[in-house]
């Protein structure tokens, strides 16, 4: 039986199937049926049904009788499946061959034309990352400053990261505290942590980063997220790993939902908001530093206004200045900061 392609399937679905249904309903198609005539519009469909074996001529040669499709399907589909299997195996072999070459290329100290730094743009970023993660051997460190990855992106990341985890790779990921409010991020974290990944969050802003086996780091090329830089300079990669490790030590486990820890996180975000106000950052900048939307950040500021009974930003800043707030106070000093400085002075007298 010859191979069948998309055009044959289209003909089967559009014209041959209705003709077959008619043959079943009528108990067969007579050889002199107008629909089977050489010049009939349905003749190609009839020829296909006969070729597939869905119609066969009865012993008396008077009509074409329908055949059970299940007995025909395997004769058509099996060869296609075998071809597909051979193609998949061959493509896998080619991928492994190119993978070995790519690994040799990336591991060379100065294999890229740009030396130890390679600039990647747009779709080339994800392509490069997919190849890099596919060849990770021991460890992957990732930092995601905001939760703003959509569900499709996180699902793809989960599949990629799970494949690495199942190879025995250790994965550690840092998010900002704001990621805890993202449903899709919770799904991603659940899928990777159950396979051994570790995920933590912290308040401070940090930029996106992926480090593979402590030999290659991928970081943004400035504020434009359409550009990334692959770094292979050992001293720079070591520096970035050190930055990650320091942030990791301050992070809080994503899977920890203890009430006391959640209160601590709320305090840290409050302190971060105070620092942004004291330092005079614009709302969009402050929101980005906290990993929240400008609207959410405005809500944080409104809460502080209520807390310190201020009607305007200026009054809030003035009050916090009088109280000596900087957003870096300890728990004890935060409690004391609620006392007016003038009242405290009178108490000392």
């Amino acid at each position: 039986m010859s191979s069948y392609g998309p055009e044959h399937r289209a003909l089967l679905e559009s014209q041959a199937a209705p003709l077959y249904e008619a043959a079943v309903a009528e108990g067969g198609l007579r050889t002199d049926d107008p629909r089977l005539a050489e010049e009939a519009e349905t003749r190609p469909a009839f020829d296909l049904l006969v070729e597939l074996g869905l119609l066969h001529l009865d012993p008396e040669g008077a009509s074409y009788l329908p055949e059970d499709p299940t007995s025909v399907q395997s004769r058509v589909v099996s060869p296609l499946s075998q071809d597909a299997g051979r193609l998949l195996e061959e493509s896998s072999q080619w991928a492994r061959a190119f993978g070995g070459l790519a690994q040799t290329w990336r591991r060379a100290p100065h294999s890229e034309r740009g030396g130890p730094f390679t600039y990647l743009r747009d779709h080339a970023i994800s392509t490069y990352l997919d190849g890099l993660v596919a060849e990770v051997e021991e460890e992957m460190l990732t930092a995601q400053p905001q939760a703003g990855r959509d569900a499709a992106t996180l699902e793809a990341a989960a599949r990629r990261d799970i494949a690495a985890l199942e190879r025995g790779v250790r994965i550690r990921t840092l998010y900002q505290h704001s990621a805890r409010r993202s449903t899709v991020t919770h799904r991603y974290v659940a899928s990777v942590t159950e396979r051994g990944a570790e995920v933590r969050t912290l308040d401070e802003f940090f930029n996106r980063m992926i480090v593979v086996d402590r030999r290659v780091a991928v970081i943004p090329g400035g504020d434009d997220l359409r550009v990334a830089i692959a770094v292979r300079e050992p001293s720079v990669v070591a520096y970035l790993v050190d930055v990650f490790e320091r942030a990791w030590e301050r992070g809080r486990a994503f899977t920890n939902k203890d009430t006391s820890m959640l209160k601590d996180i709320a305090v840290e975000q409050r302190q971060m908001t105070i620092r942004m106000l004291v330092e005079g950052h614009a709302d969009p900048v402050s929101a980005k530093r906290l990993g929240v939307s400008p609207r959410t950040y405005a809500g944080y500021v409104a809460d502080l206004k209520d807390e310190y009974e201020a009607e305007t930003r200026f009054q809030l800043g003035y009050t916090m200045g009088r109280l000596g707030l900087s957003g870096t106070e300890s728990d004890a000093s935060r409690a004391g900061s609620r006392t007016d400085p003038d009242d405290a002075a009178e108490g000392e007298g």
Side-chain angles (χ1 to χ4, degrees):
M1 181 173 290
S2 60
S3 177
Y4 295 97
E7 68 280 2
H8 298 98
R9 176 176 47 77
L11 179 60
L12 176 64
E13 293 173 335
S14 62
Q15 297 183 39
L19 187 60
Y20 176 82
E21 292 169 1
V24 173
E26 299 169 18
L29 300 174
R30 292 187 59 81
T31 54
D32 58 356
D33 190 307
R35 291 170 293 184
L36 311 187
E38 290 290 340
E39 67 278 5
E41 184 180 351
T42 53
R43 179 65 190 214
F46 166 71
D47 290 338
L48 178 61
L49 290 173
V50 172
E51 183 179 344
L52 290 173
L54 288 168
L55 290 179
H56 67 274
L57 191 62
D58 69 7
E60 298 180 359
S63 62
Y64 285 90
L65 303 177
E67 182 68 52
D68 182 359
T70 57
S71 65
V72 176
Q73 178 179 331
S74 61
R75 299 201 302 269
V76 176
V77 176
S78 294
L80 293 174
S81 300
Q82 292 170 3
D83 289 344
R86 285 193 294 270
L87 289 173
L88 284 173
E89 176 62 24
E90 186 64 21
S91 66
S92 177
Q93 295 289 350
W94 276 101
R96 280 195 287 270
F98 274 102
L101 297 176
Q103 191 170 5
T104 301
W105 175 264
R106 288 196 181 100
R107 287 184 181 279
H110 300 288
S111 59
E112 304 284 352
R113 293 180 180 178
F117 304 97
T118 302
Y119 287 82
L120 307 164
R121 296 181 182 276
D122 298 324
H123 298 300
I125 299 174
S126 59
T127 301
Y128 184 89
L129 285 176
D130 287 344
L132 194 62
V133 175
E135 67 183 42
V136 60
E137 297 176 352
E138 297 178 359
E139 178 189 58
M140 183 166 68
L141 311 176
T142 68
Q144 298 290 343
Q146 291 169 285
R149 295 190 291 175
D150 58 33
T153 301
L154 278 171
E155 286 175 7
R159 290 193 296 271
R160 179 193 67 194
D161 295 348
I162 287 172
L165 288 165
E166 290 177 346
R167 297 198 309 269
V169 174
R170 183 189 182 193
I171 295 180
R172 287 185 288 159
T173 296
L174 274 172
Y175 281 107
Q176 284 176 281
H177 289 327
S178 56
R180 293 173 179 266
R181 293 190 294 271
S182 169
T183 301
V184 294
T185 303
H186 270 278
R187 286 201 296 266
Y188 164 79
V189 172
S191 65
V192 297
T193 52
E194 71 179 10
R195 292 170 173 83
E198 299 175 77
V199 182
R200 294 184 182 182
T201 66
L202 72 166
D203 61 333
E204 291 284 356
F205 174 82
F206 52 92
N207 225 326
R208 281 182 171 82
M209 178 172 66
I210 294 179
V211 182
V212 170
D213 290 333
R214 305 199 176 204
R215 62 180 178 80
V216 182
V218 180
I219 59 176
D223 294 332
D224 187 358
L225 294 181
R226 295 178 56 188
V227 179
I229 304 173
V231 182
R232 290 173 303 282
E233 170 56 45
S235 59
V236 177
V237 174
Y239 177 85
L240 293 172
V241 170
D242 182 64
V243 170
F244 181 93
E245 294 290 2
R246 291 171 186 270
W248 181 260
E249 289 301 318
R250 292 186 293 106
R252 301 177 184 274
F254 195 105
T255 53
N256 186 347
K257 296 180 175 61
D258 291 344
T259 302
S260 60
M261 191 211 67
L262 296 178
K263 287 181 179 178
D264 289 341
I265 288 176
V267 169
E268 290 176 3
Q269 290 186 303
R270 174 185 179 277
Q271 293 298 94
M272 186 72 173
T273 302
I274 291 174
R275 290 201 296 275
M276 295 298 97
L277 287 169
V278 170
E279 294 171 9
H281 296 290
D283 281 10
V285 174
S286 300
K288 183 179 179 182
R289 290 281 296 271
L290 277 159
V292 299
S293 68
R295 182 176 179 178
T296 299
Y297 177 75
Y300 291 169
V301 176
D303 290 341
L304 287 171
K305 285 182 181 179
D306 292 340
E307 183 178 344
Y308 291 98
E309 300 178 350
E311 295 183 1
T312 66
R313 291 282 186 96
F314 177 79
Q315 288 178 334
L316 178 60
Y318 175 75
T319 301
M320 290 193 299
R322 290 182 66 216
L323 294 172
L325 295 177
S326 64
T328 59
E329 293 77 23
S330 64
D331 290 340
S333 62
R334 280 199 298 271
S337 70
R338 300 305 305 277
T339 303
D340 189 286
D342 296 334
D343 294 340
E346 290 175 6
E348 291 172 1

